[in-house]
Amino acid sequence: MTPTNTTDNKILTGLFDDLKEANNGEPLFDELKDKLLQKIDTPKNQEGYYLDAFDNPISFSGIRQLKRAYTQMKYTNEQKREIAKCQNDYFYFRENYCKIVTKNGIGRPEPRDYQLRLERALVTGDDIIAFWPRQCVSENTILEITEIKENKKISKFITIKELYTQNKKNKKLNNFIYKRKNEKIIESIKLNKNSSIFVTSKDVNKNTNIDVEILEIHKTKKLKKYKIILENGLTLEGAEDHLLITKDNKEINLINSLGEILITKKGYSKVIEVIDLNTYENMYDLSVSNIDEVYFTNGILSHNSGKSVTVSVYLLWKAMFIPNINVGIAGNVHKLALEVLDKIKKIYIQLPIWLQPGLESWNKGTIEFDNGTKILTSATSGDSFRGFSINLLFVDEVAFIHHNLWEEFSDAVFPAQDALANKQTILTSTAKGMNHWYFMVQGAKKNTKRTVQKDYILDNKLTVQEAYESKDFTYDIKDIVKENDLYTIIYHKGENGYRLEEALWTEVPRWNRDGTKKDTEVFKQEQIEKNGVLYFQQNFGNCVGYDTIVDIEKSKIKIGDLFLYKEKKIKNKKNKVLTPKGYKTFNGIAKYNKKSYKIETNLNSIITAGYHRFVVDNKEVFAKDLKIGSVLQTNKGYCVVENIEYIGYKDVYDLCNVEGSVYYTNNILSHNTFLGSSDTLIEGSILKEITPMSDNDIIRDTVFKGIKIFEEPRKDRAYIMTVDPKVDGNDKVGVHIIDVTSLPFKQVASAKLSDTYLLIPQKIYDLGEYYNNCMIVVENNMDMNIADTLYYQYEYEGEIFKEKLKKKANNNRFGVRTTKRTKKFMISTFKRFIEEGSLIINDKDTLEELFHFERKPNNTYSAEEGYTDDLVMSLILVFAPFMNVKDWSDFKGFVDLLENKKIQEENEEREIIEFLDMGFSTEMSDDVIEDNSNSFGFDMEYNQF
């Protein structure tokens, strides 16, 4: 049984502290540490078993390095002192006792800067969000490997793909092959423990080359390929986020390595070129056994995909020294959680027997200590850790957990955890687009703040003024800012309660491809948003006006004409446009209707969308952000911006997927559009500007269980409730309350209800009554109409929207039937409202659905595969009462109101209730829609060659 420590942590020292002091404060080598541990070790018998207090051999399930539960030990004073020190000092425990075992020996981990920072955050007990990198290289990358066969070493050079293929096809090797779903890595080969294959690596501390064992070989999905060229002639092809090791032992992404000096087998060498190969292919990576997790690829030192031991060491430390807690490890697949547990076991088994807590169980997926603490593993689902309240939770690859599974997991685990006094959550992941992980990171980035007087006392007994002057902050404070006589304390914790720790991106300088230094915040934002370059290039919408001249194979042509006459003019030609690197291919033209600007220069003028990108001082700048005097790059040098004028919504055009991503428009260098796998309704640049209400500010009313209230009802306000019933058991009922009294409209309540149809009408009735008996708009494409139930059975006192059926004025029915035409009308109006800032979105879940609400091949909009649109489809129904196109002048007046609000910037509230019509006709002609669509909505066309 591990003795209880009663020593004051502030004065507690350990044997290694004494040894370091005797060594004049110099770092202790592993050999010196091991000699000290041998000196204080527990005695063994002749068979090599440790002996307990009664001289009986110690083991667990026949493993002599493990100790069974409740084993009585004869502790020495030195051992007691060390146990107490380890219990009170995580860093002492990790630096002196934690080891990693490989076939090459034993070593203690030496964390990099970002890992040390993560450790400092972990020991505070704060809930943590952390990023981890991924990396991979091209199939033709050369490795130098060594195989041990019949006690003979056989060295050879082999491509990483050949190594993968050989180990996959050779069934005699008995390797374990497993597929991965919804991950960057799609297949992995776990090598048999007897395979004995090594790859050339480097001991970065001793600056010597070594051979390290290959544990796993991974194959990725197809990724975009880049190439770097070094001064010493070495080259490497890989993914943009493949990690390389610099001269000063820092990590840098391949795409940002221009100008960096890297470690190679030939010595140090500078990266002189980074090339976008504009091709996609399956790539490969290794997991290796050395502590630094590095190996040579084409003679260039790279970082492998193995996870850091940082979190594993921390979880073990907590489990060993805090009794009666449950530690939960979860991943998007169970194998990820088991990999972390396996690391914990390997660290634990190397601890001195006297430091180990005894074992109750030691299974594939669990460990239980005799101090009452359990370590459990699970895949993320609604059944995760069923029957257990998790005190310390670690979830890996959060971004790759399907958002529906994440919701189920969160609902199953977090409420039980919140009731515990001793709890902590650690979430790590790489980025995967703008999903739930993106919003969690954004919430953690918004640091909580507090403004106080100068004599406010902090936890370290200093006044805030003293702390500001000395920069002596407590662990929870990130910074203190002084303004006049007040001080603002900025805490590490974000608005969502998580502390953000980012790996790598602030550690080293980053470079643009032209050699200019990249702003750190820009780089981090790119990493968070990164799911390729899709969102940055597609959603910002780079477009120019109809009359803009482009050079197509030495023929000057207006881009609008190119769009209209594509079949006659260039159907049989290789589609190439003039770029800084000559004529390059493109594969289509996109047409949008966007907020536009007229940019006048000393050379000419050009009409562009606000988010069209120009090149200014070798940096990309949005048209809306240009200044008078800005210098733009042209095909003849430079031009100067002389005037900028906003001209409202205009049809604008862009070439798609231009090779090299830039081309000349009216002789001015512009960035093109990238059309990827999705085309979202609202531009990503606009969605990113929307800030949903913090979870802490949402009103959780027990009367309306499952409904988020953002603003309580006011008697002087007019509201509309929208309801989109589920079509089948896979969907939920989307519900919103919208304040429509004045512009901007405001979302004041929201919900996704999963109740039965017997219960939902009652909830709708109660919520509508609560919000001043507001108008209710229900989609009624189903046989079971909630609107009818509200009217005939519940006798709802408020207005229920009634659709005027074609040629059946006396046979009106409650609710709205969405057709192709009515849906287009409502969606286009909804889009206009969002883009004009005339509809405030408070709900994070609604915003997340909008990031995945995309155009389909049949020119309609719905959720991206794997996502839902219950909330979006419900929200667009708020515009149904405004849809009486028979009285088109009324709606034109409503649209003019928006235009006046935008141009005149009127501050007073404008009553819009006068535009409400309590019903609309479905008798809508195509001519009406086509003649007026550009007046109130959008039309994006795409011509592909």
Side-chain angles (χ1 to χ4, degrees), residues 54 101 116 121 166 175 182 213 224 275 299 480 641 671 686 780 840 850 855:
F54 307 101
V101 179
L116 284 170
Q166 289 177 12
N175 293 326
N182 301 320
E213 183 186 1
K224 194 171 186 180
I275 304 171
I480 299 176
V641 175
H671 203 295
I686 294 173
N780 69 356
I840 296 174
L850 282 170
R855 182 186 288 266

PDB file of all heavy atoms in Angstrom, residues 54 101 116 121 166 175 182 213 224 275 299 480 641 671 686 780 840 850 855:
ATOM      1  N   PHE A  54       7.056  -9.646   3.927  1.00  0.00           N
ATOM      2  CA  PHE A  54       7.225 -10.962   4.558  1.00  0.00           C
ATOM      3  C   PHE A  54       8.180 -11.845   3.743  1.00  0.00           C
ATOM      4  O   PHE A  54       8.173 -13.074   3.878  1.00  0.00           O
ATOM      5  CB  PHE A  54       5.861 -11.643   4.703  1.00  0.00           C
ATOM      6  CG  PHE A  54       4.859 -10.775   5.413  1.00  0.00           C
ATOM      7  CD1 PHE A  54       3.888 -10.082   4.692  1.00  0.00           C
ATOM      8  CD2 PHE A  54       4.907 -10.622   6.787  1.00  0.00           C
ATOM      9  CE1 PHE A  54       2.961  -9.273   5.325  1.00  0.00           C
ATOM     10  CE2 PHE A  54       3.974  -9.811   7.438  1.00  0.00           C
ATOM     11  CZ  PHE A  54       3.000  -9.129   6.714  1.00  0.00           C
ATOM     12  N   VAL A 101       9.921   1.987 -23.136  1.00  0.00           N
ATOM     13  CA  VAL A 101      10.687   0.789 -23.464  1.00  0.00           C
ATOM     14  C   VAL A 101      10.621   0.510 -24.959  1.00  0.00           C
ATOM     15  O   VAL A 101       9.559   0.563 -25.573  1.00  0.00           O
ATOM     16  CB  VAL A 101      10.130  -0.431 -22.701  1.00  0.00           C
ATOM     17  CG1 VAL A 101      10.917  -1.679 -23.064  1.00  0.00           C
ATOM     18  CG2 VAL A 101      10.208  -0.182 -21.211  1.00  0.00           C
ATOM     19  N   LEU A 116       5.776  20.848 -22.912  1.00  0.00           N
ATOM     20  CA  LEU A 116       5.973  21.398 -21.570  1.00  0.00           C
ATOM     21  C   LEU A 116       4.861  22.380 -21.220  1.00  0.00           C
ATOM     22  O   LEU A 116       4.356  22.396 -20.095  1.00  0.00           O
ATOM     23  CB  LEU A 116       7.327  22.103 -21.486  1.00  0.00           C
ATOM     24  CG  LEU A 116       8.555  21.194 -21.384  1.00  0.00           C
ATOM     25  CD1 LEU A 116       9.831  22.008 -21.558  1.00  0.00           C
ATOM     26  CD2 LEU A 116       8.574  20.470 -20.046  1.00  0.00           C
ATOM     27  N   ALA A 121      -0.257  23.359 -18.182  1.00  0.00           N
ATOM     28  CA  ALA A 121      -1.702  23.589 -18.192  1.00  0.00           C
ATOM     29  C   ALA A 121      -2.441  22.425 -17.533  1.00  0.00           C
ATOM     30  O   ALA A 121      -3.390  22.627 -16.774  1.00  0.00           O
ATOM     31  CB  ALA A 121      -2.194  23.791 -19.613  1.00  0.00           C
ATOM     32  N   GLN A 166       4.716  -4.767 -48.861  1.00  0.00           N
ATOM     33  CA  GLN A 166       5.340  -6.038 -48.458  1.00  0.00           C
ATOM     34  C   GLN A 166       4.765  -6.554 -47.147  1.00  0.00           C
ATOM     35  O   GLN A 166       4.496  -7.744 -46.992  1.00  0.00           O
ATOM     36  CB  GLN A 166       6.860  -5.853 -48.346  1.00  0.00           C
ATOM     37  CG  GLN A 166       7.570  -5.683 -49.674  1.00  0.00           C
ATOM     38  CD  GLN A 166       9.055  -5.427 -49.498  1.00  0.00           C
ATOM     39  OE1 GLN A 166       9.598  -5.594 -48.408  1.00  0.00           O
ATOM     40  NE2 GLN A 166       9.707  -5.018 -50.576  1.00  0.00           N
ATOM     41  N   ASN A 175       1.091  -9.911 -39.365  1.00  0.00           N
ATOM     42  CA  ASN A 175       0.846  -8.526 -38.965  1.00  0.00           C
ATOM     43  C   ASN A 175      -0.653  -8.277 -38.828  1.00  0.00           C
ATOM     44  O   ASN A 175      -1.469  -8.930 -39.493  1.00  0.00           O
ATOM     45  CB  ASN A 175       1.424  -7.553 -39.995  1.00  0.00           C
ATOM     46  CG  ASN A 175       2.937  -7.606 -40.029  1.00  0.00           C
ATOM     47  OD1 ASN A 175       3.567  -7.817 -38.996  1.00  0.00           O
ATOM     48  ND2 ASN A 175       3.519  -7.415 -41.206  1.00  0.00           N
ATOM     49  N   ASN A 182     -13.582   7.469 -41.478  1.00  0.00           N
ATOM     50  CA  ASN A 182     -13.701   8.904 -41.196  1.00  0.00           C
ATOM     51  C   ASN A 182     -12.431   9.488 -40.610  1.00  0.00           C
ATOM     52  O   ASN A 182     -12.467  10.344 -39.735  1.00  0.00           O
ATOM     53  CB  ASN A 182     -14.882   9.156 -40.248  1.00  0.00           C
ATOM     54  CG  ASN A 182     -16.177   8.662 -40.818  1.00  0.00           C
ATOM     55  OD1 ASN A 182     -16.419   8.825 -42.005  1.00  0.00           O
ATOM     56  ND2 ASN A 182     -16.999   8.044 -39.988  1.00  0.00           N
ATOM     57  N   GLU A 213      12.927   0.991 -33.959  1.00  0.00           N
ATOM     58  CA  GLU A 213      11.977  -0.025 -34.405  1.00  0.00           C
ATOM     59  C   GLU A 213      10.732   0.605 -35.005  1.00  0.00           C
ATOM     60  O   GLU A 213      10.200   1.598 -34.501  1.00  0.00           O
ATOM     61  CB  GLU A 213      11.584  -0.902 -33.223  1.00  0.00           C
ATOM     62  CG  GLU A 213      10.651  -2.047 -33.604  1.00  0.00           C
ATOM     63  CD  GLU A 213      10.168  -2.789 -32.371  1.00  0.00           C
ATOM     64  OE1 GLU A 213      10.533  -2.400 -31.245  1.00  0.00           O
ATOM     65  OE2 GLU A 213       9.418  -3.757 -32.550  1.00  0.00           O
ATOM     66  N   LYS A 224      -3.292  16.356 -51.012  1.00  0.00           N
ATOM     67  CA  LYS A 224      -2.557  17.189 -51.963  1.00  0.00           C
ATOM     68  C   LYS A 224      -1.067  17.108 -51.672  1.00  0.00           C
ATOM     69  O   LYS A 224      -0.652  17.109 -50.513  1.00  0.00           O
ATOM     70  CB  LYS A 224      -3.030  18.640 -51.882  1.00  0.00           C
ATOM     71  CG  LYS A 224      -2.565  19.483 -53.059  1.00  0.00           C
ATOM     72  CD  LYS A 224      -3.228  20.853 -53.050  1.00  0.00           C
ATOM     73  CE  LYS A 224      -2.872  21.621 -54.317  1.00  0.00           C
ATOM     74  NZ  LYS A 224      -3.496  22.962 -54.346  1.00  0.00           N
ATOM     75  N   ILE A 275       7.160  23.692 -53.550  1.00  0.00           N
ATOM     76  CA  ILE A 275       6.409  23.619 -54.800  1.00  0.00           C
ATOM     77  C   ILE A 275       5.065  22.918 -54.572  1.00  0.00           C
ATOM     78  O   ILE A 275       5.010  21.849 -53.966  1.00  0.00           O
ATOM     79  CB  ILE A 275       7.197  22.849 -55.881  1.00  0.00           C
ATOM     80  CG1 ILE A 275       8.573  23.495 -56.101  1.00  0.00           C
ATOM     81  CG2 ILE A 275       6.412  22.797 -57.191  1.00  0.00           C
ATOM     82  CD1 ILE A 275       9.496  22.669 -56.980  1.00  0.00           C
ATOM     83  N   GLY A 299      16.406  11.152 -46.537  1.00  0.00           N
ATOM     84  CA  GLY A 299      17.564  11.752 -45.902  1.00  0.00           C
ATOM     85  C   GLY A 299      17.269  12.993 -45.099  1.00  0.00           C
ATOM     86  O   GLY A 299      18.174  13.633 -44.557  1.00  0.00           O
ATOM     87  N   ILE A 480      -2.461  40.741 -17.798  1.00  0.00           N
ATOM     88  CA  ILE A 480      -3.156  41.847 -17.131  1.00  0.00           C
ATOM     89  C   ILE A 480      -2.916  43.098 -17.957  1.00  0.00           C
ATOM     90  O   ILE A 480      -1.776  43.425 -18.288  1.00  0.00           O
ATOM     91  CB  ILE A 480      -2.660  42.055 -15.686  1.00  0.00           C
ATOM     92  CG1 ILE A 480      -2.917  40.796 -14.846  1.00  0.00           C
ATOM     93  CG2 ILE A 480      -3.347  43.257 -15.057  1.00  0.00           C
ATOM     94  CD1 ILE A 480      -2.365  40.879 -13.435  1.00  0.00           C
ATOM     95  N   VAL A 641      -4.433  52.322 -55.972  1.00  0.00           N
ATOM     96  CA  VAL A 641      -5.869  52.513 -55.788  1.00  0.00           C
ATOM     97  C   VAL A 641      -6.141  53.993 -55.538  1.00  0.00           C
ATOM     98  O   VAL A 641      -5.553  54.604 -54.630  1.00  0.00           O
ATOM     99  CB  VAL A 641      -6.396  51.669 -54.610  1.00  0.00           C
ATOM    100  CG1 VAL A 641      -7.869  51.965 -54.351  1.00  0.00           C
ATOM    101  CG2 VAL A 641      -6.194  50.184 -54.895  1.00  0.00           C
ATOM    102  N   HIS A 671      -6.838  36.428 -57.045  1.00  0.00           N
ATOM    103  CA  HIS A 671      -6.854  35.033 -56.597  1.00  0.00           C
ATOM    104  C   HIS A 671      -8.152  34.395 -57.060  1.00  0.00           C
ATOM    105  O   HIS A 671      -9.203  35.025 -57.031  1.00  0.00           O
ATOM    106  CB  HIS A 671      -6.752  34.973 -55.073  1.00  0.00           C
ATOM    107  CG  HIS A 671      -6.234  33.669 -54.552  1.00  0.00           C
ATOM    108  ND1 HIS A 671      -6.909  32.491 -54.689  1.00  0.00           N
ATOM    109  CD2 HIS A 671      -5.087  33.367 -53.893  1.00  0.00           C
ATOM    110  CE1 HIS A 671      -6.214  31.508 -54.128  1.00  0.00           C
ATOM    111  NE2 HIS A 671      -5.103  32.020 -53.647  1.00  0.00           N
ATOM    112  N   ILE A 686     -18.738  34.970 -44.041  1.00  0.00           N
ATOM    113  CA  ILE A 686     -19.831  35.615 -43.311  1.00  0.00           C
ATOM    114  C   ILE A 686     -20.191  34.804 -42.077  1.00  0.00           C
ATOM    115  O   ILE A 686     -20.397  35.346 -40.986  1.00  0.00           O
ATOM    116  CB  ILE A 686     -21.057  35.782 -44.236  1.00  0.00           C
ATOM    117  CG1 ILE A 686     -20.716  36.759 -45.365  1.00  0.00           C
ATOM    118  CG2 ILE A 686     -22.275  36.254 -43.457  1.00  0.00           C
ATOM    119  CD1 ILE A 686     -21.770  36.878 -46.432  1.00  0.00           C
ATOM    120  N   ASN A 780     -46.069  21.564 -43.440  1.00  0.00           N
ATOM    121  CA  ASN A 780     -47.133  20.559 -43.399  1.00  0.00           C
ATOM    122  C   ASN A 780     -47.094  19.583 -44.565  1.00  0.00           C
ATOM    123  O   ASN A 780     -48.128  19.155 -45.063  1.00  0.00           O
ATOM    124  CB  ASN A 780     -48.513  21.237 -43.306  1.00  0.00           C
ATOM    125  CG  ASN A 780     -48.885  21.964 -44.597  1.00  0.00           C
ATOM    126  OD1 ASN A 780     -48.096  22.019 -45.531  1.00  0.00           O
ATOM    127  ND2 ASN A 780     -50.092  22.513 -44.637  1.00  0.00           N
ATOM    128  N   ILE A 840     -30.211  37.856 -36.614  1.00  0.00           N
ATOM    129  CA  ILE A 840     -29.203  37.513 -35.612  1.00  0.00           C
ATOM    130  C   ILE A 840     -29.358  36.046 -35.206  1.00  0.00           C
ATOM    131  O   ILE A 840     -30.431  35.641 -34.745  1.00  0.00           O
ATOM    132  CB  ILE A 840     -29.328  38.418 -34.370  1.00  0.00           C
ATOM    133  CG1 ILE A 840     -29.038  39.872 -34.754  1.00  0.00           C
ATOM    134  CG2 ILE A 840     -28.384  37.963 -33.255  1.00  0.00           C
ATOM    135  CD1 ILE A 840     -29.275  40.858 -33.629  1.00  0.00           C
ATOM    136  N   LEU A 850     -25.408  25.454 -40.710  1.00  0.00           N
ATOM    137  CA  LEU A 850     -25.213  26.312 -41.875  1.00  0.00           C
ATOM    138  C   LEU A 850     -23.864  26.078 -42.539  1.00  0.00           C
ATOM    139  O   LEU A 850     -23.724  26.235 -43.755  1.00  0.00           O
ATOM    140  CB  LEU A 850     -25.348  27.784 -41.472  1.00  0.00           C
ATOM    141  CG  LEU A 850     -26.779  28.286 -41.291  1.00  0.00           C
ATOM    142  CD1 LEU A 850     -26.778  29.661 -40.660  1.00  0.00           C
ATOM    143  CD2 LEU A 850     -27.513  28.302 -42.624  1.00  0.00           C
ATOM    144  N   ARG A 855     -25.219  23.186 -51.639  1.00  0.00           N
ATOM    145  CA  ARG A 855     -25.930  23.011 -52.909  1.00  0.00           C
ATOM    146  C   ARG A 855     -25.760  21.587 -53.425  1.00  0.00           C
ATOM    147  O   ARG A 855     -24.656  21.035 -53.397  1.00  0.00           O
ATOM    148  CB  ARG A 855     -25.390  23.999 -53.955  1.00  0.00           C
ATOM    149  CG  ARG A 855     -26.102  23.919 -55.302  1.00  0.00           C
ATOM    150  CD  ARG A 855     -25.410  24.817 -56.311  1.00  0.00           C
ATOM    151  NE  ARG A 855     -25.649  26.209 -56.033  1.00  0.00           N
ATOM    152  CZ  ARG A 855     -26.625  26.935 -56.586  1.00  0.00           C
ATOM    153  NH1 ARG A 855     -27.456  26.364 -57.439  1.00  0.00           N
ATOM    154  NH2 ARG A 855     -26.763  28.199 -56.295  1.00  0.00           N
TER     155      ARG A 855
END
